[in-house]
Amino acid sequence: MIVIKSEQEIELMRQAGRVLDSIFKGLEEIIKPGISTKDIDNYVETICKNNQMIAAEKGYCGYPASACTSVNEEVVHGIPDKKRILREGDIVSVDIVVENKGYMADACRTYGVGKISDEAQHLIDTAKESFFKGLEKCKVGNRLSDISNAIQTKVEGEGFGVIRDFVGHGIGKEMHEDPQIPNYGKPGKGPRLQKGMTLAIEPMICEGSYEIDVLLDDWTAVTVDGGWAAHYENTVVITDGEPELLTLVER
Ligand code: MF3
Ligand code: CO
């Protein structure tokens, strides 16, 4: 069942989304060669606390940290570690859920560490651009898989692959609500979009094959072929007009 949110509920999610946006802007300054992925986690934890909000990933299904930090061939759910030092040329996806009075917002950005290759930059840019192709379909009356198809078309058009094993999702009181939102598929399928739906849309894309493995820590998902991956996510509200992005505030 897809839960439609009231304006009051959306406002709580909006407040969480603004904190998330400020964390991502802060991380642009912090992510440099020589920092560890644990430094990222500590920053996320501190900013949430300072804003009386909760970093909701910690404890979710036993997840041990306040952010997911996935480096290079890691796709999602990389666990922050003080021994994982970022080096010039790496890319790191930082995926965070912020909870405000029981309501959640979820978003992810992939950062380059120092100077990165043109191919890595193209991968990062394509993840973001494919999100915005999906966003164009976020109109009342369109069908859910119109979003999926727009994302897949963009990603494959740039020569990259779409991860199949992880999908976007509804979000609100729960981190993961209905519907599931694959980043691939034929258009014109699934439920029609309605005002008040809150959706976490999150293309996860890779250089090569979309096959993944999960490491022995039971969390970190990596590409089987070692190709690098990028991830871009925002929490979106369907409205009568343009969709609203709760986790991206224009500068
Ligand atoms: N934020 C992730 C998502 O986009 C979920 C992370 S799983 C957790 O859905 F265990 F780390 F919370
Ligand atoms: Co998500």
Side-chain angles (χ1 to χ4, degrees):
M1 186 199 47
I2 303 177
V3 183
I4 301 296
K5 274 71 175 187
S6 67
E7 178 48 39
Q8 287 83 339
E9 293 176 297
I10 292 168
E11 177 56 23
L12 292 174
M13 294 173 70
R14 190 180 283 125
Q15 290 165 2
R18 294 224 173 93
V19 171
L20 247 175
D21 176 79
S22 76
I23 292 171
F24 287 134
K25 283 168 183 154
L27 286 174
E28 286 174 17
E29 312 302 320
I30 286 170
I31 294 179
K32 291 197 173 75
I35 73 150
S36 75
T37 53
K38 181 68 183 162
D39 293 328
I40 296 174
D41 194 66
N42 290 341
Y43 180 76
V44 172
E45 183 84 34
T46 303
I47 303 298
C48 287
K49 285 222 173 89
N50 290 349
N51 288 279
Q52 288 82 46
M53 292 191 190
I54 298 168
E57 288 175 345
K58 194 171 243 174
Y60 178 84
C61 298
Y63 187 73
S66 296
C68 297
T69 52
S70 307
V71 183
N72 299 345
E73 76 283 359
E74 297 172 0
V75 180
V76 288
H77 305 164
I79 301 174
D81 182 346
K82 67 179 188 317
K83 293 203 253 356
R84 185 76 198 245
I85 307 298
L86 297 175
R87 294 178 203 292
E88 179 105 26
D90 285 345
I91 64 174
V92 58
S93 300
V94 183
D95 188 355
I96 307 165
V97 181
V98 174
E99 179 178 342
N100 177 31
K101 302 185 174 79
Y103 284 86
M104 320 244 180
D106 183 2
C108 180
R109 305 284 182 262
T110 302
Y111 296 86
V113 181
K115 190 169 166 28
I116 63 172
S117 71
D118 291 345
E119 166 86 355
Q121 190 64 53
H122 184 207
L123 187 70
I124 291 173
D125 292 344
T126 300
K128 179 173 180 177
E129 287 163 13
S130 71
F131 167 87
F132 283 96
K133 290 291 180 193
L135 188 71
E136 287 175 13
K137 303 295 178 187
C138 288
K139 300 257 163 68
V140 168
N142 281 355
R143 288 198 189 265
L144 191 72
S145 81
D146 297 341
I147 302 171
S148 311
N149 180 259
I151 292 171
Q152 180 179 22
T153 302
K154 174 65 184 176
V155 173
E156 292 180 353
E158 297 293 331
F160 296 126
V162 171
I163 300 293
R164 304 296 205 263
D165 292 80
F166 301 97
V167 297
H169 49 94
I171 180 166
K173 279 191 182 191
E174 304 295 332
M175 188 186 298
H176 297 129
E177 298 184 352
D178 287 341
Q180 292 198 12
I181 313 171
N183 296 302
Y184 59 93
K186 293 198 176 84
K189 313 252 179 237
R192 287 195 192 277
L193 301 179
Q194 283 175 48
K195 182 181 173 185
M197 287 182 176
T198 46
L199 306 175
I201 299 173
E202 50 179 318
M204 289 153 268
I205 75 169
C206 53
E207 287 181 297
S209 156
Y210 57 72
E211 262 189 289
I212 62 120
D213 268 335
V214 176
L215 299 185
L216 291 173
D217 64 15
D218 278 342
W219 282 102
T220 312
V222 298
T223 60
V224 171
D225 66 8
W228 286 14
H231 184 185
Y232 185 89
E233 175 179 23
N234 284 303
T235 298
V236 174
V237 188
I238 306 298
T239 77
D240 286 331
E242 293 299 311
E244 180 182 349
L245 290 167
L246 296 183
T247 49
L248 178 64
V249 182
E250 287 306 321
R251 289 184 233 212

